[in-house]
Amino acid sequence: MMKNLALVTRITLLTLSLGFVSYTFAQNNVRQSVNEVSTPSMQQEIQSPLSILQHEWAHINYELEDKQKEKAFVTLMEKAKLFVTKNPNNPELIIWQGIIQSSTAGAKGGLGALEYAKAARKSFEHAMRLEENALAGSAMTSLGVLYHKLPGWPISFGNDKKAEKLLKHALEINPDGIDPNYFYAEFLYDNGKYDQARAFAKKAKQAPARAERPLADLGRKQEISRLEDKLAQKS
């Protein structure tokens, strides 16, 4: 029984990594596009702690092989913890700590990943207590994705009712954002609400570009296209 539970959990958690909670980008396509979205000025930019975490996360998530990711994310997670220790009331850094913890869970897989998933939940909840609107409600979006993607009790703390409440609230904060619209569309698709999912996927696709995160936008748009392909097959 435990072997089967471990297998289910591994399969489920391997889909995690938040941006955001992601987790399912086509690596080859993203790698081919890295040079298109990176410029010398970006590479030479003096980076803040937040920018360092975002850029290193993107490098690990989109450019490294799967077998390299767990170790790299663990190293980045320690860097995030150090930044948070120095800035304990900075909700943006705490959100990114949670995203990296979620990504570490996805890279690790198995029951051992639950430790990182729980740590991510704690980070997101902490950030929301400090400022729920930080990073346009990203803590809410990321926590909603965790609740949706994880299996429920007794394996883990997944809960679609909590997920939907969080994702809807995130949309109230950031109604035009690419992430909250995409993740709510995915939630609706997974729950068989295909017409509603199409509307939110379309809105996600039309979201304004984030000048500081071109690689993240590229990957998310690829996910939106794959979701639209799946929706096209549903009546």
Side-chain angles (χ1 to χ4, degrees):
M1 177 68 174
M2 287 302 297
K3 182 177 180 181
N4 290 337
L5 292 180
L7 178 59
V8 171
T9 306
R10 176 178 174 79
I11 292 171
T12 304
L13 287 174
L14 279 173
T15 64
L16 286 173
S17 67
L18 235 285
F20 96 178
V21 217
S22 203
Y23 349 121
T24 55
F25 293 157
Q27 282 189 334
N28 290 337
N29 290 339
V30 172
R31 287 180 189 138
Q32 290 169 3
S33 303
V34 169
N35 291 333
E36 296 175 12
V37 298
S38 298
T39 67
S41 61
M42 290 168 54
Q43 294 163 359
Q44 295 168 8
E45 176 186 6
I46 297 175
Q47 296 181 323
S48 66
L50 181 63
S51 195
I52 288 170
L53 296 180
Q54 290 174 331
H55 292 167
E56 291 192 21
W57 178 88
H59 163 65
I60 295 168
N61 202 47
Y62 306 139
E63 297 183 296
L64 295 189
E65 300 292 339
D66 286 345
K67 62 183 179 182
Q68 300 174 301
K69 287 184 178 182
E70 181 184 349
K71 183 178 179 180
F73 276 133
V74 168
T75 299
L76 184 58
M77 186 170 58
E78 292 305 314
K79 186 177 291 187
K81 287 181 180 178
L82 179 61
F83 287 149
V84 170
T85 298
K86 293 180 178 180
N87 302 273
N89 296 314
N90 186 319
E92 296 181 349
L93 289 175
I94 295 169
I95 289 169
W96 267 94
Q97 176 178 256
I99 290 171
I100 295 162
Q101 288 164 332
S102 293
S103 300
T104 306
K108 185 175 182 61
L111 290 176
L114 291 176
E115 172 189 353
Y116 298 114
K118 289 177 180 178
R121 176 178 63 175
K122 185 176 180 180
S123 293
F124 296 139
E125 289 174 343
H126 183 194
M128 287 164 59
R129 286 194 296 270
L130 289 171
E131 185 184 347
E132 70 174 22
N133 290 1
L135 294 178
S138 291
M140 228 167 286
T141 302
S142 300
L143 185 56
V145 173
L146 266 183
Y147 275 118
H148 175 52
K149 293 291 184 180
L150 287 167
W153 188 91
I155 299 172
S156 186
F157 57 85
N159 185 312
D160 263 3
K161 288 185 179 180
K162 290 183 178 180
E164 184 168 24
K165 182 178 180 179
L166 286 161
L167 292 170
K168 283 183 173 180
H169 196 173
L171 278 167
E172 291 173 1
I173 295 170
N174 187 17
D176 298 319
I178 189 170
D179 286 340
N181 279 286
Y182 167 72
F183 286 118
Y184 191 49
E186 185 182 51
F187 174 88
L188 292 167
Y189 173 85
D190 290 342
N191 283 277
K193 299 179 180 180
Y194 304 128
D195 288 340
Q196 293 179 55
R198 289 186 186 95
F200 282 96
K202 181 179 180 180
K203 193 168 184 180
K205 201 169 188 176
Q206 297 171 343
R210 297 174 292 188
E212 75 284 3
R213 299 189 63 201
L215 184 57
D217 281 353
L218 173 67
R220 185 68 73 228
K221 286 182 179 180
Q222 291 176 351
E223 288 190 311
I224 295 167
S225 293
R226 287 195 292 276
L227 178 58
E228 289 180 328
D229 287 343
K230 292 192 293 184
L231 284 165
Q233 300 174 26
K234 303 294 182 180
S235 57

